[in-house]
Each structure stands twice: as C-alpha cells, then as structure tokens.
Amino acid sequence: MSNELHARAEQLIARERVEEISAAEREWLAKHLDGCEACATVAVSTEQALASLRGVNIELPRGLASRTQLRVRMRADDLREHAPKRSLLWAITAMSWALGVATAPWVWRGFSWIGEHTGAPKPLWEMGFVLWWAIPASIAAVAVILEKKSEQQSI
C-alpha cells in the first residue's frame, strides 16, 4: 500500500479521537484497519495511550479556581476604571438641550417663514420643526444603546 494511504489512516485515527469524522471516512478507516496490520497497531496504541492519560491523576494547586476568579474580577474592575467616561456625552447632551431651548423661537420662525413662502401645509413644516431636534436625539439614543450593548458583550 502507498504511504499516502497510511498517512491518511493515521490522520483519521488522530482526528477520530478529537473530533467527529464523516461516516464515509469512518467506513474507509475501518476497511483500511482490517487490511493493514501496521495502521491497526497504530490505532490500538493510540487508544491505549489515551486510556493511560485518562488514568493519570493531575493535582491542581489549592485555591486555583478562587485565584482565577479573583484575577478575572480584578481585570473587569480595571477595565471599568479605564473605560471612557460618559461625562463628555452628558455635557454635549446638556449643551444640545440648552441650545435647542434657546434657539427654538428662531427655528420656529424659520420653519414658519419657509412654510409660508413655499405654500407647504402647516402640519408639514410643524413636523419639520419637531424632527429638527428629534432626529439628532434619536441618533444619540441609538449610540448610547449600542455602546451599552457592546459593553455587556465584552464583559
């Protein structure tokens, strides 16, 4: 038999122990192992090696789990401390509201003037006035929601 067939058989023997192999590959391997004593020996020795590894008792240091949890908590706290502060977002929001309230009369007059000169119905230019502030506020709200989602996914 060619070395390629033996190499394929050894690869499938190893893969079968770690991950699922297809039914066709399993059938091919079984036929090959029936006819090839060398590969059958590899399969048996692989199984014996894995069985002996399963029987080995590995002692883990005491408190490993609690130390790991502590380090994970410390890292999470560190990430929270160094996370960008939202004070800038709140300051921009407050400034936006203040400017919005201060300029509302002029913006209203501007929309009214445009509505009168273009002949647009009053509900249409009134809706334009409302959207003048609603759209930026909606975009800001979506940005905050997306930021919170990404924070929750990263933790």
Side-chain angles (χ1 to χ4, degrees):
M1 284 190 199
S2 74
N3 287 336
E4 291 178 13
L5 293 177
H6 296 300
R8 180 178 180 212
E10 288 180 15
Q11 182 185 24
L12 288 175
I13 290 167
R15 273 189 41 216
E16 185 178 35
R17 304 299 190 268
V18 177
E19 61 188 58
E20 191 71 26
I21 61 173
S22 70
E25 289 175 325
R26 191 174 296 112
E27 184 179 326
W28 181 88
L29 181 61
K31 284 181 185 178
H32 181 79
L33 293 178
D34 286 342
C36 179
E37 190 175 320
C39 290
T41 304
V42 169
V44 169
S45 61
T46 301
E47 188 59 43
Q48 288 174 348
L50 288 173
S52 65
L53 283 175
R54 286 187 199 108
V56 173
N57 187 17
I58 299 174
E59 297 252 350
L60 296 177
R62 291 179 189 244
L64 178 65
S66 61
R67 286 193 311 239
T68 303
Q69 288 175 344
L70 175 65
R71 289 200 184 255
V72 168
R73 284 190 195 114
M74 288 172 54
R75 180 68 178 139
D77 290 342
D78 188 42
L79 288 174
R80 272 190 227 107
E81 285 177 15
H82 294 95
K85 304 294 184 223
R86 290 209 179 105
S87 56
L88 179 62
L89 180 63
W90 285 110
I92 292 170
T93 304
M95 183 63 73
S96 172
W97 276 89
L99 289 173
V101 169
T103 61
W106 291 293
V107 173
W108 178 264
R109 286 187 198 126
F111 273 95
S112 173
W113 181 84
I114 290 171
E116 289 173 11
H117 283 73
T118 61
K122 187 174 182 180
L124 181 66
W125 64 261
E126 287 176 343
M127 181 60 75
F129 175 78
V130 170
L131 291 177
W132 181 262
W133 282 283
I135 290 176
S138 300
I139 292 171
V142 167
V144 169
I145 290 169
L146 290 176
E147 182 181 341
K148 282 193 180 256
K149 254 187 188 178
S150 68
E151 280 180 9
Q152 290 172 351
Q153 289 176 351
S154 66
I155 293 179

